[in-house]
Amino acid sequence: MQTLTLHLPDSLDMTAKEVTMLLATRLYEQGKLSLGQAAEMAGYSKRTFMELLGDHGVSVFNLTEEDLLNDVQNAARYHR
């Protein structure tokens, strides 16, 4: 794992842990990190990280609208 040093303005009222969580959350949301990688980066277990994602407005299920529609159509085919 790489180490990154950031210089944040004093006016930014966030702890290093909060900034790390924000970054891990956004990288997960964008598909750049897996759930496990993002949880590790943020310093949480997968379960805890999953629970905290909702606080940041991020769904555990990173599906596009197209993926979701395909899943619904596939489910409808199998339940006929």
Side-chain angles (χ1 to χ4, degrees):
M1 193 172 286
Q2 296 180 33
T3 300
L4 176 66
T5 303
L6 296 173
H7 299 282
L8 301 172
D10 291 332
S11 60
L12 183 63
D13 190 25
M14 294 178 76
T15 66
K17 184 81 170 163
E18 290 170 325
V19 172
T20 302
M21 179 63 184
L22 180 63
L23 181 57
T25 300
R26 294 303 169 228
L27 290 172
Y28 170 73
E29 183 179 37
Q30 293 176 2
K32 306 260 186 219
L33 293 178
S34 69
L35 181 68
Q37 290 170 323
E40 181 181 356
M41 179 182 175
Y44 293 106
S45 68
K46 281 185 187 180
R47 179 185 174 114
T48 301
F49 186 75
M50 287 170 62
E51 292 171 359
L52 293 171
L53 282 174
D55 295 342
H56 293 272
V58 176
S59 173
V60 173
F61 307 103
N62 262 343
L63 297 175
T64 65
E65 184 178 345
E66 182 179 342
D67 291 337
L68 188 57
L69 288 173
N70 286 336
D71 286 351
V72 169
Q73 289 172 350
N74 288 335
R77 271 188 238 139
Y78 291 111
H79 292 294
R80 287 185 183 170

